[in-house]
Amino acid sequence: MRYTAFILGFLLSSGVMAGDAHFYMGVGYDLGGDKLAEADNDEDLRAGQGLVLAVGMDYDVASDFMLRGTLGYKLDAVEADNGEVDLRRTQIELLGYHFFKGGYHGLGAGMTLHRNIKFGCDVDLLCSGTTEADDANGLVIEYLYRTKNDGSSGATIGVRLGAGLEYDFGGNETVDANYFGANIGLSL
């Protein structure tokens, strides 16, 4: 939390917020991470995998530089004949992008913070309940294509890599939650 406050304070004091700001909403899907569970139909629940819904703000500082801050919810669930397992978490991200090729193609990098990480298991004769993991942070690198380059509204398509994420469920059990994913979004 104190890192988020520091970054927001820096942005406010540096005048970055004076650029064009747009509301952002997006959806994506990530793959990867260690296996947490396997259903009887050979589907895996993996720590980095899941559907992501995110909202936030895009700040166009210049035609070739943008900041994006988002709050997202990531969920993955696997159902079997004898029950269900799921993994839910919220994620806060802050990325800076540099655009080239006329302002449509960009590379971004930044940080991600995963909070409220909950692994739910309701499988007959195996488990019942929810296990929580400690907050985790990592690095995100993303290629982003946007349909605008002038600070106006538009759509975005991204391909991303999340690295350095580990979920600690207590004891000696730490799982790799790194991922590779794709997303689409809209800046209004």
Side-chain angles (χ1 to χ4, degrees), residues 5 24 37 42 46 49 52 78 83 93 103 113 119 122 131 141 160 169 186:
Y24 169 81
D42 293 332
R46 296 193 168 271
Q49 189 165 297
V52 180
V78 175
E93 294 186 347
L113 172 65
F119 172 67
D122 186 14
T131 304
I141 300 170
R160 59 186 14 223
F169 286 99
L186 187 62

Side-chain angles (χ1 to χ4, degrees), residues 22-94:
H22 299 278
F23 175 76
Y24 169 81
M25 60 184 171
V27 61
Y29 194 80
D30 298 332
L31 298 168
D34 288 341
K35 185 189 317 184
L36 293 176
E38 183 176 337
D40 59 4
N41 56 2
D42 293 332
E43 286 188 60
D44 295 339
L45 180 71
R46 296 193 168 271
Q49 189 165 297
L51 176 69
V52 180
L53 302 172
V55 295
M57 296 295 290
D58 284 348
Y59 298 102
D60 292 311
V61 179
S63 64
D64 61 346
F65 186 73
M66 179 182 81
L67 292 176
R68 175 177 283 171
T70 60
L71 173 62
Y73 185 74
K74 190 172 187 177
L75 169 70
D76 195 22
V78 175
E79 292 188 34
D81 293 337
N82 59 344
E84 175 184 277
V85 291
D86 63 69
L87 183 63
R88 307 174 301 277
R89 59 274 200 207
T90 57
Q91 58 187 34
I92 301 166
E93 294 186 347
L94 181 60

Side-chain angles (χ1 to χ4, degrees), residues 63-64 98-107 143-149:
S63 64
D64 61 346
H98 182 270
F99 289 90
F100 50 96
K101 298 268 186 190
Y104 294 102
H105 301 270
L107 290 175
Y143 162 78
L144 190 70
Y145 174 80
R146 62 182 180 175
T147 61
K148 62 167 180 106
N149 67 349

